[in-house]
Every structure is written in C-alpha cells, then in structure tokens.
Amino acid sequence: MAKLTNEEKALRISRQTGLDYKNVLQGLQMADIEFQMAVAPYTGYEGPIDPSIARYHPLPEGANVGLLGFSTAPDAPNHYIPSASFGARGDKIMFPAEPGTVNAVGAKGATPSTWAHEYSHQLEKDRSLYKKAMQATDRFGNDSIDTDAYLAFIKFGAKNAAEVGQRVLDIRSAQNMDDVSTAVNYIAKEEIKSLESQIDRAFSEDDVEEARRLLKKSNSITENIINNPTDQNITDYIKTSLSDVNTEYDKIGAFKSNLFKKIVNNKEQRAKTAKTFKESLD
C-alpha cells in the first residue's frame, strides 16, 4: 500500500484546484489532528492512530449496507469486498481492500467508535488473549498454554473468536451506551449461535440435553439483550456472561473507559455490605 504524505496530498490538490499549497497543507494537518482526537478516547490516548491508512468509502443514496467498516492486514493481497447493494436489482458495490488499511463504509460507518474498532483490528488487539495463551510458560520456563486466557478467547466459538474479542474490547473502551449496546447485541447473538452449534456437534443424548439446557438458559438472558436492550439488561449481561472474559483482559491491562468502569463498578453492592463507611468508598 502506498502512503501519501500530507505534503504530497496538498501538492496534488493545489495543482488540481489552484488553491494555495500552504493553506491546503494546513487544512489537511488540522483534519488529521481532529480525526486523531476523535478516535483517541477509545484507545485511552495510547497507541498509533495513523490517518494515512484510513480509507472512507462513500455510498450512493439508498444503498443497503451490510458492513460499516473493515480492516485489511498488512500482508493481505489487494482485493475487493462486497459491502453493500444498490438499486432494484441489488447490484453489489465493491470496495477496494488495500493491505494495511482501516476502512469505514458510508456515513453510518464513519464514526469514532468504528474507526477505533478497525484500528484495534489492525494492531491485532483482537487476538491479545490468544497471544497471551500461546506465549505462556510454566514455572520451569517451558512452553505452556494459559488455559484461562484461551478459554476466554474462544468462549463463544473459535470461528469468530477474534471479532467477539474485539467487541468485548469495544465495550471496555465505549464512550456511550449506544456503543455498548451494539457490541453486546453482537456478542449475545454469537453466544446463541455457539450454543446451537453445540447441539449439532453433540455425540450423545446426554450431551444434546445439556446443550439444550444451556441454550434455554442463555436464551432467557440474551432475549432481553437482543429485543429489549435496556441499560440494566446490558449491564447484567456484561457482569455475568462476560465476567470471565473481562477478568482475562484485566490481567493484560486492556484499556477501560470511565463508562465501562461505571458499568462494572460494584460500589453500590459494597456499600450495602460494608462494615464501615470507609469500606464502602474503597
């Protein structure tokens, strides 16, 4: 992927439009700063946010969007992906997937949370628990596997484990409840898919019954998340279904926004059981 510097972009634009080169360059630099500052809260103001790898794909009016953003690995080949359809015939709109880029599709996709999500994919934060699991050593220094980290990574199935992991990171970095709700909704649906697949893969009737029991139990929880995503239902889901996953992310110091800290904060419960006023504040 060829990166164009702001200087190169400014020179091209000034030649094409006749605008003053310095003014164009200053505008581009200011736009980059504003872009970085919008995305930065979702990263804890840490890590690179390189505007030169960001790609925005506009959509024609009335397009049916199937994807709001995507990230393409640096070692991936140049290719195109269908992410929307348009018109009565449902013609596919194809977007270039340049290696080493983060991409937003349409105005709905070009949000700070979507950009942050794709940058996180680009930096492979979505696989951080897997890397922790595979890089573990035992007390003798021999290669080992961190079982807790691995099971947290594949909790809702190995097929979409990285995407589910990224959605948990999205929850942890969220700046508003809409971001949290979107991520939790996706994870809840993946949980249902995973439990349904366990029924199909069961080897015995006992395994089938157990899988059905877990699915029924999960359905009672996720139904509210999908159909009635109140703040309380979402909070309860995060504290129960995602508790072990977040424990593993805590171990590697994954970023937590103030909103996420508020969601998982048990201060109210501690206050009910605290023996002293000071304990209720700790």
Side-chain angles (χ1 to χ4, degrees), residues 55-56 65 115:
R55 301 289 185 270
Y56 172 66
V65 180
W115 286 117

Side-chain angles (χ1 to χ4, degrees), residues 70-123:
F70 59 94
S71 174
T72 308
D75 58 353
N78 273 301
H79 62 287
Y80 287 80
I81 63 171
S83 58
S85 60
F86 180 72
R89 296 181 303 176
D91 294 333
K92 289 291 182 183
I93 301 173
M94 307 293 289
F95 293 111
E98 300 174 61
T101 61
V102 294
N103 301 259
V105 178
K108 290 184 178 180
T111 63
S113 58
T114 299
W115 286 117
H117 176 101
E118 302 308 337
Y119 273 106
S120 192
H121 275 309
Q122 188 71 202
L123 297 171

Side-chain angles (χ1 to χ4, degrees), residues 252-263:
I252 61 176
F255 172 61
K256 294 187 285 188
S257 68
N258 288 333
L259 175 61
F260 178 77
K261 292 176 183 177
K262 182 178 179 181
I263 289 173

Side-chain angles (χ1 to χ4, degrees), residues 20-278:
D20 180 75
Y21 166 78
K22 291 184 178 180
N23 288 340
V24 174
L25 178 59
Q26 186 178 32
L28 290 173
Q29 291 170 337
M30 287 299 297
D32 282 354
I33 292 172
E34 291 173 359
F35 176 81
Q36 290 169 321
M37 290 305 295
V39 177
Y42 290 86
T43 69
Y45 297 92
E46 297 178 356
I49 303 171
D50 182 1
S52 72
I53 68 170
R55 301 289 185 270
Y56 172 66
H57 307 284
L59 290 168
E61 185 177 351
N64 181 24
V65 180
L67 186 66
L68 298 181
F70 59 94
S71 174
T72 308
D75 58 353
N78 273 301
H79 62 287
Y80 287 80
I81 63 171
S83 58
S85 60
F86 180 72
R89 296 181 303 176
D91 294 333
K92 289 291 182 183
I93 301 173
M94 307 293 289
F95 293 111
E98 300 174 61
T101 61
V102 294
N103 301 259
V105 178
K108 290 184 178 180
T111 63
S113 58
T114 299
W115 286 117
H117 176 101
E118 302 308 337
Y119 273 106
S120 192
H121 275 309
Q122 188 71 202
L123 297 171
E124 294 190 335
K125 292 182 180 180
D126 54 6
R127 296 175 60 81
S128 55
L129 288 186
Y130 178 80
K131 291 179 180 179
K132 178 178 184 290
M134 295 300 108
Q135 292 169 359
T137 57
D138 62 22
R139 61 193 180 94
F140 302 107
N142 300 315
D143 290 343
S144 183
I145 292 180
D146 185 329
T147 305
D148 290 340
Y150 181 74
L151 291 177
F153 178 69
I154 64 166
K155 179 170 183 176
F156 299 132
K159 183 178 180 181
N160 285 336
E163 183 61 33
V164 172
Q166 183 54 55
R167 300 290 177 140
V168 177
L169 291 175
D170 290 349
I171 295 169
R172 294 174 66 92
S173 66
Q175 302 297 305
N176 56 70
M177 284 305 296
D178 284 343
D179 292 338
V180 175
S181 180
T182 298
V184 168
N185 183 283
Y186 179 92
I187 295 170
K189 290 178 179 177
E190 287 299 307
E191 180 178 357
I192 294 297
K193 290 179 186 176
S194 176
L195 291 170
E196 289 174 341
S197 69
Q198 288 180 30
I199 295 175
D200 295 335
R201 299 196 309 268
F203 291 106
S204 68
E205 188 59 35
D206 288 343
D207 290 340
V208 171
E209 288 304 314
E210 175 63 10
R212 285 175 176 165
R213 184 188 70 80
L214 292 174
L215 178 60
K216 183 178 180 180
K217 178 182 178 181
S218 181
N219 271 329
S220 65
I221 299 172
T222 57
E223 182 179 353
N224 280 332
I225 293 298
I226 296 170
N227 299 321
N228 184 32
T230 64
D231 288 358
Q232 187 59 56
N233 287 338
I234 291 169
T235 297
D236 290 344
Y237 184 82
I238 293 171
K239 287 184 175 182
T240 54
S241 293
L242 301 181
S243 175
D244 53 345
V245 182
N246 276 306
T247 294
E248 294 305 311
Y249 274 123
D250 285 342
K251 291 179 183 178
I252 61 176
F255 172 61
K256 294 187 285 188
S257 68
N258 288 333
L259 175 61
F260 178 77
K261 292 176 183 177
K262 182 178 179 181
I263 289 173
V264 299
N265 188 4
N266 291 317
K267 185 177 291 186
E268 181 180 348
Q269 183 62 33
R270 290 201 303 271
K272 293 179 181 178
T273 59
K275 296 178 181 178
T276 67
F277 177 70
K278 183 179 182 300

